[in-house]
Amino acid sequence: MKKLVLASLATATIVLSFSAVAGYWDFRIYNYVDENGKVVGTLHFPCFNRKAVITGETTKNKVLVEAGTCL
């Protein structure tokens, strides 16, 4: 019985730790567009809490292109 309780506690701890870093598995790609709708830059948030990468110009108009989960 004691082993079952310890196993349940360990499982709960693992689940909570994964929940706390839910964004860890997600990626997002945005395009920066100018006032004419032309793409002038890209913002990429990679998985696993890696640093975001910006290429091109940044504007205040940001459009989500793709989002997903890394497996």
Side-chain angles (χ1 to χ4, degrees), residues 9-71:
L9 183 58
T11 302
T13 302
I14 291 169
V15 168
L16 287 175
S17 65
F18 277 115
S19 298
V21 291
Y24 182 82
W25 299 101
D26 298 335
F27 73 91
R28 294 176 314 281
I29 300 172
Y30 294 93
N31 279 341
Y32 287 109
V33 295
D34 63 8
E35 60 276 350
N36 297 323
K38 180 181 174 191
V39 175
V40 295
T42 303
L43 173 62
H44 179 231
F45 287 103
C47 298
F48 314 120
N49 288 337
R50 291 180 292 170
K51 187 176 180 180
V53 178
I54 299 174
T55 55
E57 297 179 33
T58 59
T59 64
K60 60 183 175 181
N61 300 323
K62 189 168 57 172
V63 178
L64 179 65
V65 176
E66 186 176 355
T69 303
C70 297
L71 296 177

